[in-house]
Amino acid sequence: MTYVPLTRRPVPAVINDRAVGRNQWGKRVLPGLLGEWGEDVRNIVHRHLGKVVAGAAIAVAGTAVMVGITLPGTAGADEAGGSQGASRAARSGQGQGQGQDQGQDQGQDQGQDQSLGAAVAPGVVKQPPVEGEKGKGRDPLTDDEIERVEKIAVNRQLFDTSEDVEGDRGPQTLTVDLADPEAAEVDNPDAPRRADVTFYDYRDDTLVTRTVDLDSGRVVRTDTQHGVQPPPSRAESVEAATLLIADPLGAGLEADYKDATGKELTSPDQLLVTGGVYRATPGAQPAVLDKCGEHRCVRLFPKVRNGPWIDARSLVIDLSARKVAELQL
């Protein structure tokens, strides 16, 4: 059997004044049927091919939709982020490379400039301005003013009738401060400068404050108080440490010092000492400390030089009675 393409139109023959043709099987057909049938075949094939292609496209689109639905929501973002991250990383790497190149170039340029320039001059520590003998207005007291008012405040009578922390004649100096102005002098920039000198007299446990006029060099006021205990001075803390080291109750302090340094503790100069005032509380301390508050009593906070602190809170030194007692903490 001979194959005849569907799209090939057979040559028609004229039979009985009518054009007839034959199909691929040799059958005669009416006029127009052959061409129409060929055209119909092509149309049918085209339509079927179109349906097949459209169906395939719909299937692919449906598959893509299903994949997009079933995949996690971040999958596409991760891929996009990955590509964007890769792009950023590439740009960052390029930027870092350029920055390194620029830094190297700048460093080389600076090194060349420094090598070509003169050597850097050494730093110079400037001394503070020379302090005058007298201050002005509310300026702090100068060293000369402090020394002068201490001598003015302690007259012969006070010196002969008072006693310091070591038992020597003369009161124990605690502080020297610029006195507050009088109420009428607050807004006066030219108000007279005065200094308050505070002493402690261990002979009768008295706090003495003398106000000295710096311009006239005279004592203008004297205040005396009992039972008032300001913080101890450095000299008082050192004397308290001396009494503690010499007392049997100081054995624990000496043992702690030896553990920390491997040396014997024989002098308060081996320690950094600060002190605080101790006041008696009824029934809270041994009877020997009942007068603390009226007496000058301190607790020490010793520290090994360049070393640890030593706990001595349970020990109280009565500087007025020159005795040491232990608290039951």
Side-chain angles (χ1 to χ4, degrees):
M1 181 167 115
T2 304
Y3 171 74
V4 179
L6 294 178
T7 58
R8 182 178 178 182
R9 182 187 299 271
V11 178
V14 178
I15 302 176
N16 299 327
D17 297 330
R18 294 182 62 184
V20 297
R22 294 181 183 273
N23 59 17
Q24 64 269 36
W25 299 284
K27 300 291 184 178
R28 290 186 297 178
V29 295
L30 292 176
L33 291 180
L34 182 61
E36 292 174 0
W37 188 81
E39 294 293 333
D40 291 341
V41 169
R42 285 198 298 272
N43 293 335
I44 292 171
V45 170
H46 289 168
R47 284 198 299 270
H48 281 290
L49 288 175
K51 290 180 181 180
V52 171
V53 172
I58 293 173
V60 171
T63 303
V65 171
M66 293 303 296
V67 169
I69 294 174
T70 55
L71 287 178
T74 58
D78 290 341
E79 293 176 357
S83 60
Q84 293 177 1
S87 301
R88 286 196 298 269
R91 291 195 297 271
S92 176
Q94 294 175 358
Q96 291 178 357
Q98 294 175 359
Q100 291 176 356
D101 295 339
Q102 293 176 359
Q104 291 176 357
D105 295 339
Q106 292 176 359
Q108 293 176 357
D109 294 340
Q110 292 177 358
Q112 293 175 357
D113 294 340
Q114 292 179 358
S115 62
L116 295 175
V120 179
V124 178
V125 179
K126 294 184 178 181
Q127 297 297 326
V130 178
E131 187 179 58
E133 294 183 359
K134 295 182 179 180
K136 296 180 180 180
R138 300 301 300 166
D139 290 345
L141 296 172
T142 65
D143 293 341
D144 290 340
E145 287 176 325
I146 292 174
E147 184 178 355
R148 186 161 63 92
V149 297
E150 284 183 345
K151 294 178 180 179
I152 295 173
V154 183
N155 56 17
R156 175 57 60 180
Q157 181 182 1
L158 179 60
F159 182 80
D160 291 339
T161 60
S162 59
E163 185 177 294
D164 66 10
V165 67
E166 297 180 358
D168 298 331
R169 282 198 306 171
Q172 180 65 48
T173 303
L174 300 182
T175 59
V176 181
D177 300 308
L178 185 68
D180 293 331
E182 303 291 340
E185 301 171 344
V186 172
D187 297 328
N188 183 5
D190 298 325
R193 286 166 59 85
R194 305 182 185 90
D196 288 336
V197 187
T198 304
F199 306 98
Y200 196 86
D201 184 0
Y202 277 90
R203 178 170 291 184
D204 57 2
D205 288 300
T206 303
L207 183 67
V208 180
T209 302
R210 287 197 160 186
T211 303
V212 178
D213 189 314
L214 294 169
D215 294 332
S216 65
R218 300 178 56 184
V219 176
V220 297
R221 184 171 56 249
T222 300
D223 294 327
T224 302
Q225 298 172 289
H226 292 276
V228 178
Q229 300 294 342
S233 64
R234 170 168 172 74
E236 289 175 313
S237 296
V238 170
E239 183 63 19
T242 301
L243 295 175
L244 179 58
I245 293 172
D247 193 274
L249 290 176
L253 173 64
E254 296 172 9
D256 290 342
Y257 181 86
K258 188 171 184 179
D259 288 342
T261 65
K263 300 178 181 179
E264 299 291 338
L265 177 62
T266 58
S267 170
D269 295 335
Q270 298 170 264
L271 301 170
L272 297 175
V273 290
T274 56
V277 171
Y278 175 79
R279 293 181 175 275
T281 302
Q285 64 280 318
V288 69
L289 300 177
D290 285 344
K291 288 190 176 182
C292 288
E294 179 184 347
H295 285 185
R296 188 90 164 136
C297 299
V298 300
R299 300 168 78 175
L300 291 179
F301 308 98
K303 183 181 183 300
V304 178
R305 289 185 180 274
N306 300 319
W309 292 89
I310 297 177
D311 188 0
R313 293 174 297 171
S314 62
L315 301 173
V316 177
I317 300 94
D318 186 338
L319 292 173
S320 299
R322 302 185 68 81
K323 294 181 179 179
V324 180
E326 185 175 9
L327 299 174
Q328 300 299 321
L329 298 180

